[in-house]
């Protein structure tokens, strides 16, 4: 048939670094700040933006788990979007320095919890950017 299949291995660290080098778009002007990203507050906001109750609960849990993994947070969470594309951006005062953060399940035990791994299972997009001030994590439900 003339088609030759060529095996190409892409180093995940290199690929992740290349993708993460692209800056995130700025949050929209109307993004809602949330002083503390508690699950109940995020769930209420997401349901108010049109997410069905079960989806709002999953999104809120992903945000809360990520916030716990990022502690200490370096500012208010930002929320924006309409269902199904609800978005939460969290800012951490510390860098993650792991281009594959959340792609591997955490070790068993109470610390640090499922955090980013859970968020990557629930959310359609999880973007992480490290900079001199810490890390930005943007979660988009769908």
């Amino acid at each position: 048939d003339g088609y030759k299949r060529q095996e190409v291995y892409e180093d995940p660290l290199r690929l992740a670094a290349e993708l993460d080098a692209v800056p995130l778009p700025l949050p929209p002007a109307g993004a809602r700040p949330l002083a503390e990203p508690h699950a109940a507050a995020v769930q209420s906001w997401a349901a108010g933006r049109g997410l069905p109750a079960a989806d709002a609960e999953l999104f809120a849990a992903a945000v809360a788990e990520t916030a716990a993994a990022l502690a200490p947070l370096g500012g208010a969470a930002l929320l924006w979007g309409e269902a199904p594309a609800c978005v939460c951006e969290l800012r951490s005062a510390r860098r993650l320095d792991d281009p594959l953060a959340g792609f591997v399940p955490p070790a068993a035990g109470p610390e640090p919890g499922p955090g980013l791994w859970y968020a990557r299972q629930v959310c359609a997009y999880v973007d992480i950017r490290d900079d001199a001030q810490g890390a930005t994590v943007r979660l988009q439900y769908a």
Side-chain angles (χ1 to χ4, degrees), residues 39-127:
V42 174
Q43 184 174 351
S44 175
W45 174 86
R49 303 304 266 187
L51 273 185
D55 291 333
E57 184 177 358
L58 285 172
F59 180 61
V63 169
E65 286 292 337
T66 300
L70 294 176
L73 294 179
L78 292 176
L79 300 167
W80 69 87
E82 298 287 334
C86 291
V87 179
C88 180
E89 183 175 283
L90 300 165
R91 187 86 191 129
S92 175
R94 65 179 174 86
R95 295 171 52 93
L96 293 178
D97 288 323
D98 179 0
L100 300 178
F103 283 108
V104 177
E111 295 297 325
L116 286 166
W117 182 81
Y118 180 80
R120 289 197 188 274
Q121 306 314 300
V122 169
C123 297
Y125 301 100
V126 176
D127 289 303

Side-chain angles (χ1 to χ4, degrees), residues 6-16 18-19 100:
Q6 185 178 14
E7 296 293 324
V8 177
Y9 172 78
E10 292 288 339
D11 178 17
L13 291 172
R14 188 198 60 76
L15 184 60
E18 188 176 294
L19 293 171
L100 300 178

